[in-house]
Amino acid sequence: MNKVVFSSSFDQRQKFKKIAVRLALFIVLALLLIFLIRSGQGTDLQTAYDTAVEQADFEEIIAIHAQNQSIIADTPAAESETEEVLQAIALRDTIESDLSAFIKTQIDAVMKGNSLTAEAAEKLSLSMTIVGNSSLELIDVVFRDYLLGKMSEVDYIHFLETLYPLPEFRRLLSDQVDNFALIRDFRTELEAAYQLMLEGEYMDSVYAFEELNDSEYSHIRALNRILHGLRNEALDQLYALRMPEIQQLIEQERLYDANVIIDTIADYFPEKDELNQAKVLTDQVVPDDVIYWTAPIESIAVKPLIADPDRAFDNDVFADRANKDLLTTEEFRLLLKALYENDYVLINGNEIVDERVKFEQVAVPAAKKPLLLFLDDFYFTPQRVESGVCSRLDLDQNSNVLGVVQDRSGEETLVRNSTAIGVLEEFLQEYPDFGFNGAKGVIVLSGVDGLLGYPLREDHLARVRSQAQSIGLNNYLHAVQDTDANKEKLNKIIEALQERQWVFASQSY
């Protein structure tokens, strides 16, 4: 009995063991089959899509898109970088891109006055179920063209009548269809605001677009989108215009002018680091309180400075005249310090009158008095060199304007603070608020045998050579005998001075 039972139990265990082995083998084969199916699924879907495109089978294309979406959605996050998922994402994106291109082609055809066949309408509807939301931008482009007069009302009505019956387009076009009469009125009002932008009045156009957006039309979402886009376009144009202007003003040390522009646009561009940095810089320098001066404006004039006192006061025939008419560089600096301590501030000579030569009110910091500084009789001759004045102006490698000091042997040295230009610019580095809005002085030019010490014609050279030889300065013209080179150098010097806000005037009128 026991033997029979044991034998029966053994047989059952053997039978269960065989079943378990078969089951395990079945599971392994099933998993292998699933793996093989899934590993080839991406390729199969791609092939199926290529076939569907060839046959223009849009229903199949939509189904393949759904399969890819299912693969992407059903894959755990940990497996999202597998080859299968990456293939599904790539194919999904390709399908959506192709459908968007098809929709654009159909919309373009409708804009040209074509109608849709029943087959094209069906394919368009199927495409819209996948990428309808992304097509809103295409529809807004058409709407914008109509609003800005780039598309006739007849063509736009055809556009609406053709696409509105399609369910997926109806939700996107309902604003335009339901409010068509109001939109027609809006189109007229938009024209004036848009014209401001075309004329470069970007700030005014921004205000006009904002007013329209706050008007009775504000409930029409499609209009809001168009106005928002136009406003941003005007702001982009405004920034592209103003930021280089601000940078140039800062380079010219016209920080007050730069700050005025910055304050008008800063609230519209809080994310622009370049503009924010410019505001911080100008806010640190520009006074909080600026007034407009209406009283008479005082002025002071100085002749070219004595750069070499030993040569000026050597008891020769020029010494008395130099002592009577000219200041040394140190005396000029003391003069500037006295003016500064008495609350004078330099202003730009070009800001006193407008283009019609009418006097204008001049902006100055409160508690300051405006002053015009004139560098009078600003020319250089051999006689003045003998009085210790520079022989001419020149530039260093950084385009700073320096004076050329020439000794009796004819040897020349570039010296920064040897002219009123250099002394004032050096003083302003120490006291930048002495020159309001970067103002310097007025250089009163005289064309005595050239400009700024540079002969420009052969007759200039002849006269200067004669003057120099008459007082024993035989090397005076050594560096400036090439008149063409002189003209080129003179242009660079004048350009550098203008960039630093030096103003030019004529000695003769």
Side-chain angles (χ1 to χ4, degrees), residues 10 34 129 136 289 294 315-316 345 356 421:
F10 177 77
I34 291 171
T129 62
L136 180 61
D289 193 5
T294 57
N315 295 320
D316 63 8
V345 63
R356 295 165 298 185
I421 294 170

Side-chain angles (χ1 to χ4, degrees), residues 247-263:
Q247 291 172 327
Q248 183 179 28
L249 290 170
I250 290 175
E251 289 174 2
Q252 296 173 344
E253 301 176 9
R254 294 169 59 185
L255 301 185
Y256 173 74
D257 289 344
N259 191 253
V260 169
I261 298 174
I262 291 170
D263 284 346

